[in-house]
Amino acid sequence: MKKIIQVHIFRGENQFVAELPRLAVVTQGKTLDELAQNLREAIALQLEGGNLADFGLADNPSILATLNLSRWRMRNLRSSPRFRAAFLTLPA
C-alpha cells in the first residue's frame, strides 16, 4: 500500500493544472490558492465513501506535489509566501 498520493502540477496556458495519476483526478485553478482548494475538493470527492485500499493507498496518506514550472515562473513564485502556504496546508 502506498502512503503518498503524488500530484503533478504545471502551468497551462491560463491556469495551473494538477494531475493525480493514481486517483485518475485532474483539476485546475487560476491561482495556486484556487488550485489547492480545487485539489482538496477533487481528492475528497474521488475518495468519498470508498476504501483507500481500493486505490492502493494506506490509511492517512500524505500528498507529495511536484511542480513543473519554467525558470522564470519559479523565480517569481519562490518569492511568494502565498505559494508556499498553499501547498503546505493540503490535507491528506
Side-chain angles (χ1 to χ4, degrees):
M1 298 286 182
K2 299 279 185 179
K3 293 190 175 204
I4 296 175
I5 299 173
Q6 291 185 339
V7 179
H8 304 286
I9 300 171
F10 60 93
R11 178 75 175 161
E13 286 187 31
N14 298 315
Q15 298 194 28
F16 292 97
V17 179
E19 297 177 339
L20 293 85
R22 178 168 291 280
L23 299 180
V25 168
V26 176
T27 190
Q28 60 188 15
K30 291 180 183 177
T31 66
L32 289 170
D33 290 334
E34 183 179 328
L35 179 66
Q37 180 60 38
N38 292 346
L39 189 55
R40 285 185 200 98
E41 291 174 10
I43 291 170
L45 286 171
Q46 183 70 348
L47 298 177
E48 186 177 58
N51 184 349
L52 290 175
D54 293 342
F55 295 97
L57 296 170
D59 288 336
N60 300 317
S62 298
I63 294 175
L64 174 64
T66 304
L67 298 169
N68 182 7
L69 302 171
S70 70
R71 289 178 186 245
W72 181 85
R73 292 298 281 164
M74 281 304 293
R75 279 196 304 269
N76 290 325
L77 289 173
R78 225 181 275 152
S79 63
S80 169
R82 293 181 71 176
F83 166 74
R84 289 188 294 275
F87 290 97
L88 292 175
T89 59
L90 284 175

